[in-house]
Amino acid sequence: MGDSKEAGAEAPPAGAAARGSLSLLTQGESEEPAQGSALFLGGNEVKSTAVVKYSSAPPRTAFARLEEKTDLKLPPANWLRESAKLGPAGTTILGNSKKSKPFSSFGMAYDFIDSVGNDVDVVSDSENIKKLLKIPYSKSHVSMAVHRVGRTLLLDELDIQELFMRSSQTGDWTWLKEFYQRLIDQKWQRKKKSKEHWYQKAILSKFLYYSINGDGAAQPVPSAAEQQEPSGSGQTNDSDGASWPAPFEMPSSVSEDPSASSQGSEPLEPSYIVGHVASAPKEQNLTTLFNDGENSQGLKNDFVRNILWTFEDIHMLVGSNMPIFGGGRYPAVSLRLRDNNKPINVLTGIDYWLDNLICNVPELVMCFHVNGIVQKYEMIKTEEIPNLENSNFSTKVIKDIAQNILSFLKSNCTKEGHTYWLFKASGSDIVKLYDLTTLCEETEDKYQNPFTMPVAILLYKVACNMMMKKNQNKKHYGTIRTLLLNCVKLLDKSRHPQIIASANYMLSELFQLDEPKKEESSESPLNENSDESYSEEEEETPDSDENGPYGTSADPPDDNKAVAIIKSVGELSVPEKYKSIHQIRPSCAFPVCHDTEERCRLVLSYVLEGLKSVDSSIKKESDLPAADPNTPIPLKYEDESTRGGPEGLEKQMALFLDKMGSLQKGNYSSQSGMIPGSWQHKMKLQLILKSSKAYYVLSDAAMSLQKYGRALRYIKLALQSHDTYCCLCTNMLSEVLLFLSQYLTLCGDIQLMLAQNANNRAAHLEEFNYQTKEDQEILHSLHRESSCQGFAWATDLSTDLESQLSVSCKCYEAANEILQFSDLKNQNPEHYVQVLKRMGNIRNEIGVFYMNQAAALQSERVVSKSVSTAEQQLWKKSFSCFEKGIHNFESIDDATNAALLLCNTGRLMRICAQAHCGTGDELKREFSPEEGMYYNKAVDYYLKALRSLGTRDIHPAVWDSVNWELSTTYFTMATLQQDYAPLSRKAQEQIEKEVSEAMMKSLKYCDVDSVSARQPLCQYRAATIHHRLASMYHSCLRNQVGDEHLRKQHRVLADLHYSKAVKLFQLLKDAPCELLRVQLERVAFAEFQMTSQNSNVGKLKTLSGALDIMVRTKHAFQLIGRELVGELGQPKSEEAPPAADPSPSLNREEVIKLLSIFESRLSFLLLQSIKLLSSTKKKTSNNGEDDVALKTNKQIYSQLLRATANRNTTLSERIDVLTHLLDQLARGGGGGGPVQ
């Protein structure tokens, strides 16, 4: 019991008292053993530590040792007077104060809200603790109210006599009085205190005033004439001494007005304020509640000191007013007055011992008197008190009693918010526990219980305190929810709308709307019953004999109202007799929401209850707001210009942006008459914002489920909530503007998806029009403040595709505009990028929509030869959308999407070009300058797209697509110039040059080597280009006269492109006709060359080459033959006409036509070969090879003539014959030349 420990426990910081401040030990200081904790080992049997959490006592001074024979019946000079050593609360510390109020534990709980519900088992007055621990030793009655908050029990004295006296005046406790008289004491009468009681109280008070009387020397009582203020070395004037402020009322009052301490003292020191405010923080968004209610009920912390006392494993927050003296040899002692004629009994010994343990006082000083005359003093150490003569008691038994009583209360006081009554009648051994809340509810007015309001406030405050720390540990969510539900359950909605609204808002705040589903389930175990609070769950477990010795079967009939009974107080001394079978805080599992909709619906249910509470508290004559003379009455019709179509949207957007601008200036336009700044106004704002968030999350979830009608309904409700918020808000926060931007972005997404899923419009419309009762009630509350039409333009379900796309675009534009208001785009770059991406995307969609409409008009235009104005308007709209979209993507460096839009713009240019192609007579048609201009523009956009991408690595698929489109454009342009040569404007040579250049460029962007799904198309395109170029050079060669060099060049180029075309066509399995045609053209090219040759040798060589080409067409015939066999093998489901072609890949008529040409050309070549070989044989008869070739050619020619003469052969048979002949020709050497 060293000096340093005791000084740390009681003495304030140096100089604190002189400045008039209260002494406060912060949490950090009090946890250190050297800062006010001490260890007592009473007979090495019990362990006790005490930490002073708060003290309003002045610095301790030495007590004055009274001289013998001092008459305590005479009052000292300073009796009941204020003193610098006592401060204005001196009467409290010296034992003359009134009894503690029935809510004293609540005052402490409010001050140390951090401890309640978590690490403290009991909060109570030290007198109540002592009374409980003396139950087995005492015959006196015990009457206490017990409340449970979390794992903490609050104990308060329930003075039956005083309460019943009050009931006759106020009617508060009439139901309890009736119950008491009916079941416990039928002849109840108020017992008056004896004269002896008041006599003992008076001399104790006088003794204590004598003991603080000056410098340590006792003074005899002066005569009446000599009575004056005593003076001494330890006395100072009131003005210079410590001013002792009134007990601390509540943290919120300190935080609001730090200088409001009583007695005109200086403002509280910052450390003091910080300590208390930190111990009871306020919810950030909630107004300060309950000041009036608390003070009117006397819910103050009236104790001189609050101590965190740990007795064995029991943690208690105890209030004590015991006077402690110190100084000199005795740094801390308690002072007691004893009648020398009455020996100390066990009850007194326990009383003294517990007081010293609780207050951490190492010694006791007893002053003995006889009939008020001082006899002697005696000093006793605290650990020696249990061993005093006539006062022997076992500290271990006291420990067992404490543990048994706590276990008994823990096991039976299970329902949070209920008031329990622990009662033992005077002289009885039976202790009973009643649930007064249940008894009260059986009366007419269940709110007659005066404890209801303080309990509800405490539950609310504890929940508030835990809410402030909710992000630190989410496992408390279940606890907070249970606290708030019990708080709401206790209160009358009509009397306490503010608390109920606030509690419901906090309940809604517990649910994280945007957290992933996997996190929800990980927070708490799955528990199907977790929607119920744990108090209901515990009702399912009756207190039977199996659960402990609380059974009531053997009790008298009048005990059936008791929750639990201790049959004999002697049982409390048996170790672990009442071992707790319940944890004081069963696991309050937070409700597991299995999907987002369930979670949001829970939130909305709390929001609705909160809104109802707020609305019910707004006093007004009618539910409908009075008409504003400045506001026109809305009628049922609508101007056509304000609905549907882009034009009406433009007007509505302008109005919307004006409104957003006015919000920045803080306009306020509530219809219900709420006062800005009132609690209703603040609370409704928060509740409406929460509802808008919940509806937004619901909409997003419905969107992911592809329930677009439902998603639009929810986002409409979210925007209606937000519109109401805007009407009520006096200062729009940037965070709320960001929410609005997100809502509009989602609304744009939904409208776009509805536009793209028009085939299911009926189902979407049904979902959109459905509404739950809860949604209707929330909407009704919103309509009290606003018309909720601010976003009607964005949330209507249109049946017109163009309108839906326009609305979607306007939603994104509005979202983007909002981001420009207060630098939100820089604060939220990710969201800004998403909005711009969506703007680019929707503009692409609208551009494609207009482009497709233009193409449809173009396809319908048959009679009119010129381009219509409607088409041109659609082109302009489409081009404008693409241009804006490209700008959107370029502003966020999205090269890929910018390239896609440039590609679509190129396609638009091609459609424009196609529109100009049918403006003349088909026979006289030429490739027009307009076509050329638009095709060149298309080429420019495709090249821009490639430049935007940079390299193929950026996005290979897009890169390949742009290349293909560019190749197609060049190819189309070249083909049109070739097929419809503009000879009236250009020379043939120039046209041929331009065609050749365009074809080669098309070939450049046609990738035939990369393996992909498009590779066969590229190969076919390249083969076609080579075929067309070869045909063009072939044609030039036929028509060219004169320039031999040019003719030779054309001949080489034609031959080159023909051979390349053949190679590419041979790679394809589905183009046999094209391969056959190219080979036939090559044969014709050879025949043309042969006409210009004069020598038989040259002609023979050319013929040999032509026949070799014929032989190499065998591959094409094999492909045709396979396809014909495949057709015959397919089962016919119905009779098809004979001319019909069952295979779309094989054109039968074209095959027959090409086959006839092939047969005639082969016949011609064989005949010419026979003639030339015959004439050559006459001249030179030595060539054996020519003889073999001549013989073979004759045989083949003969067979071919017979085959072509037979008109009854089928197509397959003709192909088989030709294949057989070509095999013979290949083996026989053909025209006698080498096969190439």
Side-chain angles (χ1 to χ4, degrees), residues 667-740:
N667 288 356
Y668 175 80
S669 58
S670 167
Q671 295 178 2
S672 69
M674 276 196 303
I675 302 166
S678 64
W679 75 263
Q680 290 101 330
H681 177 245
K682 293 178 180 177
M683 183 55 63
K684 194 154 190 177
L685 272 177
Q686 296 299 328
L687 289 166
I688 288 171
L689 189 60
K690 191 71 180 180
S691 72
S692 73
K693 290 180 189 174
Y695 282 127
Y696 167 72
V697 175
L698 278 170
S699 179
D700 194 39
M703 177 80 170
S704 63
L705 294 172
Q706 298 181 352
K707 303 287 185 182
Y708 303 123
R710 188 194 306 173
L712 186 62
R713 167 163 56 92
Y714 283 138
I715 203 65
K716 181 176 183 178
L717 286 163
L719 286 168
Q720 285 176 322
S721 299
H722 204 286
D723 188 34
T724 307
Y725 183 93
C726 294
C727 290
L728 294 178
C729 191
T730 53
N731 182 23
M732 186 65 69
L733 299 171
S734 58
E735 178 192 11
V736 178
L737 283 174
L738 178 62
F739 289 151
L740 179 55

Side-chain angles (χ1 to χ4, degrees), residues 1177-1236:
K1177 184 181 178 183
K1178 291 176 184 176
K1179 294 177 182 178
T1180 57
S1181 56
N1182 297 326
N1183 194 339
E1185 289 182 7
D1186 289 348
D1187 292 342
V1188 174
L1190 179 61
K1191 184 179 177 183
T1192 304
N1193 288 355
K1194 283 181 178 180
Q1195 289 175 351
I1196 293 170
Y1197 182 65
S1198 171
Q1199 292 176 27
L1200 181 61
L1201 288 176
R1202 282 197 296 273
T1204 52
N1206 186 358
R1207 298 290 179 186
N1208 297 322
T1209 54
T1210 63
L1211 186 59
S1212 297
E1213 289 170 347
R1214 287 173 68 186
I1215 289 172
D1216 288 341
V1217 169
L1218 283 176
T1219 306
H1220 178 66
L1221 293 176
L1222 291 174
D1223 281 340
Q1224 287 184 13
L1225 194 59
R1227 287 195 299 271
V1235 178
Q1236 295 178 359

Side-chain angles (χ1 to χ4, degrees), residues 777-827:
E777 289 180 340
I778 290 175
L779 200 54
H780 175 72
S781 180
L782 299 179
H783 278 302
R784 290 166 66 99
E785 314 300 336
S786 157
S787 64
C788 301
Q789 294 300 308
F791 299 97
W793 56 270
T795 54
D796 283 340
L797 182 54
S798 173
T799 55
D800 177 49
L801 181 59
E802 181 183 359
S803 177
Q804 284 179 320
L805 290 173
S806 298
V807 168
S808 178
C809 185
K810 293 301 174 190
C811 285
Y812 296 137
E813 287 174 7
N816 185 42
E817 287 288 344
I818 289 165
L819 292 176
Q820 313 295 330
F821 275 125
S822 52
D823 201 34
L824 280 171
K825 68 175 184 180
N826 294 327
Q827 296 167 14

